[in-house]
Structures are given as C-alpha cells and as structure tokens.
Amino acid sequence: MSSNLGQITMDNASNNNTLMVVIEEELTRRDIPFDHNGNHQQTLATDPVGQCCGIVSACHSSGQHRHRLQAVIQEGNSNGFWRGKLFDGKTMLPVVQLLRDCITRWSSTFNMVDRVLTLNPAIQSFLLETQNADISDLSMDTKDIDVLRDIHQVIEVPHVAQELLSSERAPTLSMALPAYEVLKGQWTQLQSTIWELSHYIGVGLDKLQQYINEGRKTCIYALSMIINPSIKLEWLKEHWEAEDIENAREWILQAVHLFFSACCR
C-alpha cells in the first residue's frame, strides 16, 4: 500500500501539516520517496463562496427577510452600532441589497462576494435574531470571513481587467494581451502571499497562459498593439519571446505591403 501512495488531499489545519511530516519520515525510513510539501494538496476546509450563495438565497427567499436586513442596516446606522465593527474604518453601512451570482454575467461572483463582505456585520446581526433561527447556520465565523477576503482579493484582479476592457468606448483589442500580462503578474504575486489559495490561483494561471499563448499566434492582436501609440512594438519586445516578436514584425510588414499595394492600384 505504501509504495502506491501518491498525493494526499487535506484541508489547511495545522495538524495535517504535522501529519505530512510524520508520513514523510516513515516513508523515508522505508526508502520510499515522499515530500511533505510536494505530495500535500491542500483544500479549503469550507466553501465561503458557497456560503455567500446560501446567505443571498436565504435573504432573497422572502420579502420579510429582505426588508428586515435593510432595517438592521438602517438601525445600526442610526444608533452608531457599526462604529468600530467595519473593516474599512467607516461608521455606517450602505443601505443596499445583496447581489445574486449569475454564471452568464461578468464579475457577478465578485460583486456578490464584495457586497456580502461590505454588509457582513449587518448580515451576522440579522442571522442571530430569534426569528431567523432557521437560517442561523448560514452565519460565517471570523476564519470564514478571512478566507472570503482572500478569495475576494484574488478574483478582484480579473474583475478590474474586465472592467478596463469593457469601459472604454474606443476598441480595446490592443489592450487585451497587455491586460492579461498584468493579470498574470498580479496573480503570480498573490500566489506567493496567499499560500492557502496558491493551488487555485495556479489553475487560473495555467488557463490564462493558454489564452496568452493563443493570442500571440493571432496576427490581429499583434497588429492592433503595434498601431496603438501607447503600446507599439516596444511593448512586445519587453514581454514576448523572440519568435513571437519576429512573427509580429512579419505580420505588420505584410499588412503595410498589402495596404500600399491596394493604394497604388
């Protein structure tokens, strides 16, 4: 059995780290290669995003729930109850509704998580009320909120990139690959600082790199960047491989040749 042992999936509890060290020592004693870090795939002990969905669904399930949450927010604003309890140092909460996640809408997961974090003090007060005992199990403890803030920080990066590409009225094709490169750099940095989510960030980075690699093979991206005065060929020289840069150079020369050939007819 021990010779067939590969990866072990566990949550992030510290005693599991100790267990991995013990397993490594035992397998090393049996001359079986095993690394307590390399063979340990960590998973989240809970699903904070799923908990957010549960909270939003519960609050949207009835008009009474929606109205009572609004009342809790307003009451706390009026009597100063939120003072010292808000993450951003403010003293009042915005009187807004929770937002649903929607798989067909850009950034809807980020917007849902962002709103839950913003209203979290009111949500917890609301869930602890006697009349809400049937949904009190949806309450999130401090650890859950800390993990949710980390997730929020990770998914905020592509949200900002998406907002950048969709906010301009002018064509933004030339900004797509530069935005992906910025996204890649920021995710790589977060991967080293939020180690609990490093595996999940790595999955996103792998998919993002696939998009970047495919984009470099498409002449329209290169042409749109080269004719953009703020990007041009210099940006490609700084961020692309030599082979990709040479392909881009050939594409622009071909495009210019075709343009002048058409003008001379």
Side-chain angles (χ1 to χ4, degrees):
M1 178 66 181
S2 58
S3 61
N4 296 322
L5 190 61
Q7 308 297 317
I8 298 179
T9 301
M10 295 182 288
D11 62 32
N12 297 323
S14 59
N15 59 334
N16 284 331
N17 296 330
T18 304
L19 173 62
M20 291 298 292
V21 173
V22 173
I23 293 175
E24 179 182 18
E25 292 173 352
E26 177 61 24
L27 292 179
T28 300
R29 188 178 63 81
R30 302 185 186 190
D31 295 325
I32 298 174
F34 188 87
D35 182 80
H36 69 276
N37 286 318
N39 294 84
H40 181 190
Q41 179 179 336
Q42 296 181 332
T43 61
L44 294 178
T46 58
D47 177 14
V49 176
Q51 289 176 280
C52 281
C53 290
I55 290 171
V56 173
S57 296
C59 289
H60 279 281
S61 64
S62 74
Q64 287 184 332
H65 284 165
R66 289 196 303 272
H67 295 151
R68 181 53 194 158
L69 178 58
Q70 297 292 287
V72 169
I73 295 172
Q74 292 173 332
E75 289 168 7
N77 287 341
S78 299
N79 60 29
F81 185 72
W82 311 130
R83 188 173 291 109
K85 295 182 174 65
L86 305 186
F87 185 77
D88 55 9
K90 295 181 179 179
T91 59
M92 299 179 66
L93 288 173
V95 185
V96 292
Q97 294 281 358
L98 293 174
L99 299 174
R100 293 182 184 273
D101 187 13
C102 178
I103 60 174
T104 60
R105 185 176 301 166
W106 287 106
S107 293
S108 64
T109 302
F110 170 79
N111 290 329
M112 177 190 68
V113 170
D114 185 71
R115 184 62 58 82
V116 167
L117 286 173
T118 298
L119 299 181
N120 178 59
I123 293 171
Q124 301 310 312
S125 295
F126 166 76
L127 292 174
L128 292 176
E129 292 185 335
T130 304
Q131 66 268 30
N132 296 322
D134 58 323
I135 57 173
S136 61
D137 60 311
L138 295 173
S139 179
M140 302 176 72
D141 60 26
T142 303
K143 183 178 180 181
D144 291 332
I145 293 298
D146 288 342
V147 174
L148 191 62
R149 291 195 190 282
D150 287 340
I151 294 173
H152 177 273
Q153 190 175 356
V154 172
I155 62 178
E156 185 178 20
V157 178
H159 165 72
V160 172
Q162 183 270 325
E163 289 288 294
L164 172 67
L165 295 177
S166 63
S167 62
E168 297 290 337
R169 293 186 178 182
T172 57
L173 181 63
S174 62
M175 299 167 60
L177 290 186
Y180 291 162
E181 292 287 356
V182 173
L183 170 56
K184 176 184 172 182
Q186 292 181 342
W187 263 357
T188 300
Q189 183 177 3
L190 288 175
Q191 191 177 31
S192 63
T193 56
I194 309 178
W195 63 269
E196 298 90 343
L197 300 178
S198 61
H199 169 74
Y200 307 97
I201 297 174
V203 172
L205 282 170
D206 290 342
K207 178 60 66 174
L208 180 61
Q209 190 61 54
Q210 292 178 24
Y211 284 130
I212 293 175
N213 292 341
E214 291 301 315
R216 291 178 179 178
K217 298 176 185 177
T218 307
C219 66
I220 189 63
Y221 282 105
L223 295 177
S224 65
M225 287 189 287
I226 290 173
I227 64 175
N228 186 324
S230 65
I231 302 177
K232 300 190 290 187
L233 193 60
E234 294 304 314
W235 186 91
L236 275 65
K237 290 179 180 178
E238 183 179 348
H239 294 88
W240 284 18
E241 301 294 335
E243 181 181 355
D244 296 324
I245 297 172
E246 187 58 34
N247 289 337
R249 193 191 305 275
E250 288 297 322
W251 289 332
I252 193 66
L253 290 175
Q254 292 172 9
V256 171
H257 175 74
L258 290 173
F259 174 76
F260 280 105
S261 297
C263 291
C264 294
R265 290 176 184 173

